[in-house]
Every structure is written in C-alpha cells, then in structure tokens.
C-alpha cells in the first residue's frame, strides 16, 4: 500500500502531485544548505557542477549542519506540530501535501527511503535515508 493510501486511512487530507519534486528539493537546499559553497556541495555529492542532484541528506551525514540523529530525530519529529507539510523524495518527483496530519508518525515512513518531510515554511525537516543502518534519520531546525 502506498504512503498516500495509508495516510488517507488515518483521515489525513493528502494531495498527490507528480511535478513538484524538483521545486521542493531546490527549496530545501536553499533553506537548509545555503551556507555551503558550490565546491562544498560537489565534495559531499549534494550536487555536481553539471547540476546533477545528489543526496541532500549528505549535508547531515557529513556533519555540515547541526541536527539530531536516530532516535532523537524520531522523537523531535513526533513533537513537531502536525498540521500541514510536504513529503517528497530524493529520486522521484512525487510530492504529498499533508493537511490535518496529527496522526502522521515516523512509523508511516517505515517502508519509505530517501524521503524528506518539511513544514510549509521550511523551518524544520525530517529525513529518512536509504542507508538506515548507518545514516539517519535526521531532524533539523532551520
């Protein structure tokens, strides 16, 4: 069952969009990685000079921004007000806009990888990577 379907079962208003991925990845980078130079971004494989998008979460795994990790990240995410936010992916353009998401939790992301959750003002982010044994999840406040 897809994440959107699981959330709808919890009465979370879910809007699916298939074209916002690039926009939200760019916005995420602006809000959380703006302190990095283009050289820094290339060095950590966040992006290369040809504009290829690497993994945004490399910002955290390379310790270039303060964040919480693992259980602390999960706990911080659970404490964030769950009104409305975006869920998007590193390697897909699919985006979910969630509203009335009080029942949304880290367990809903159990089968998701390289997924980013961010509030609509980009003041915090929660990231679950594909390298779950070694990297993440991460939680960061702007």
């Amino acid at each position: 069952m897809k994440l959107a379907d699981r959330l709808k079962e919890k009465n979370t208003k879910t809007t699916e969009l298939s074209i916002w991925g690039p926009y939200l990845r760019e916005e995420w980078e602006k809000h959380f990685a703006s302190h990095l130079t283009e050289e820094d971004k290339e060095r950590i494989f966040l992006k290369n000079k040809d504009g290829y998008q690497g993994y945004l979460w490399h910002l955290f795994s390379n310790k270039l921004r303060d964040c919480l990790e693992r259980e602390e990240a999960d706990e911080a995410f659970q404490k964030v007000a769950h009104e409305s936010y975006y869920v998007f992916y590193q390697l897909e353009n699919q985006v979910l806009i969630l509203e009335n998401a009080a029942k949304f939790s880290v367990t809903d992301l159990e089968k998701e990888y390289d997924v980013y959750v961010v509030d609509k003002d980009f003041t915090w982010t929660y990231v679950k990577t594909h390298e779950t044994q070694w990297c993440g999840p991460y939680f960061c406040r702007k």
Side-chain angles (χ1 to χ4, degrees), residues 81-86 97-101 118-121 124:
H82 296 286
E83 290 304 315
S84 60
Y85 36 79
Y86 303 115
I97 301 172
L98 306 182
E99 297 178 57
N100 188 30
V118 65
D119 68 309
K120 289 189 173 183
D121 294 323
W124 59 262

Side-chain angles (χ1 to χ4, degrees), residues 45-60:
F45 304 105
L46 184 95
K47 178 183 271 190
N48 72 18
K49 56 186 153 207
D50 297 324
Y52 169 76
Q53 187 73 42
Y55 289 98
L56 297 171
W57 56 262
H58 284 179
L59 169 72
F60 303 130

Side-chain angles (χ1 to χ4, degrees), residues 80-111:
V80 175
H82 296 286
E83 290 304 315
S84 60
Y85 36 79
Y86 303 115
V87 177
F88 64 96
Y89 297 85
Q90 185 71 60
L91 303 174
E92 298 176 28
N93 288 334
Q94 176 191 20
V95 171
L96 301 176
I97 301 172
L98 306 182
E99 297 178 57
N100 188 30
K103 295 180 182 178
F104 183 55
S105 72
V106 294
T107 58
D108 292 313
L109 298 173
E110 212 168 81
K111 297 176 183 171

